[in-house]
Amino acid sequence: MIYQLPLFPLNTVLFPQSELSLRIFELRYRRLLDECGKKQPFGVVRIRYGHEVGEPAFTYDIGTSAYVVQQVALADGSLAVMAVGGRRFRVTGVTVEPDGLTRATIEWLSADPFVAIPNALQAIADTFAECGDILTDAGTLAWRLADALPLSLTEQQELLEENNPQLRLQRVNEWLLKHPFDFIK
């Protein structure tokens, strides 16, 4: 089945279940919000070449769908938007509309199979639980950690592209072991 999503290219990576705050001022992205509302997703993809503002950018092939959860009009005419990441997808084709809005033909990537959190990382999952975020599988723990740690954009994109939740969590854990104090202030 063919799916189409309007794209929002950014110099960031959105992980499933992560939050993304946006400030919308370009007409093409206002149209995207009007079209999607709170029920239809749009795609967030990291920019490979180009810029967030102006001409359409070239993006990576793997991105994450996003849903608007809050939208507020600001005094300067722009919109403050909070979105939440949904499913990962692969871009199979793009078209650029006259106003610069990019629309992609996509295929949804498979949902993560359930992989238990390894005993060695259970204490980290328990810390999330203390904040009300009960994590029961390796894939979700990997997303949460990847979102919280100061990873480079390249490292973030590589994690987003990793289909195996066990390997994804292993890569995040390796980063933690190499940088034990880089994220503690």
Side-chain angles (χ1 to χ4, degrees):
M1 189 167 210
I2 296 174
Y3 296 95
Q4 286 205 333
L5 286 178
L7 293 184
F8 204 124
L10 294 169
N11 286 315
T12 193
V13 174
L14 176 64
F15 296 115
Q17 304 166 12
S18 294
E19 293 182 342
L20 175 67
S21 61
L22 299 167
R23 186 164 178 189
I24 309 294
F25 53 89
E26 288 188 82
L27 292 178
R28 61 183 164 175
Y29 298 122
R30 287 175 162 276
R31 184 164 69 90
L32 176 148
L33 292 177
D34 289 343
E35 186 179 302
C36 295
K38 290 187 176 183
K39 296 188 189 255
Q40 296 296 317
F42 59 94
V44 174
V45 285
R46 180 175 165 222
I47 294 172
R48 187 183 300 256
Y49 305 106
H51 304 283
E52 289 182 348
V53 178
E55 294 295 317
F58 295 94
T59 65
Y60 285 83
D61 293 336
I62 305 295
T64 305
S65 64
Y67 291 86
V68 173
V69 293
Q70 187 176 22
Q71 180 175 312
V72 177
L74 302 175
D76 66 0
S78 65
L79 298 171
V81 174
M82 180 61 68
V84 174
R87 294 175 64 185
R88 295 178 311 135
F89 61 85
R90 178 183 316 280
V91 174
T92 59
V94 296
T95 57
V96 178
E97 297 179 356
D99 65 356
L101 181 67
T102 302
R103 196 169 302 277
T105 304
I106 61 131
E107 61 184 23
W108 295 110
L109 297 180
S110 298
D112 285 347
F114 178 83
V115 175
I117 296 171
N119 289 336
L121 297 174
Q122 190 58 52
I124 294 174
D126 292 344
T127 301
F128 280 97
E130 290 174 12
C131 299
D133 197 1
I134 309 297
L135 306 177
T136 60
D137 65 286
T140 304
L141 178 58
W143 293 137
R144 288 291 190 279
L145 287 170
D147 191 44
L149 296 174
L151 303 172
S152 70
L153 283 173
T154 299
E155 290 168 320
Q156 291 175 6
Q157 185 67 36
E158 289 171 354
L159 287 171
L160 184 66
E161 294 178 6
E162 178 56 64
N163 291 320
N164 182 322
Q166 190 170 10
L167 290 177
R168 189 182 315 128
L169 184 57
Q170 180 181 336
R171 291 178 71 183
V172 172
N173 189 45
E174 288 169 0
W175 189 96
L176 284 168
L177 294 171
K178 286 180 189 173
H179 305 85
F181 300 107
D182 284 3
F183 60 96
I184 298 173
K185 299 239 178 194

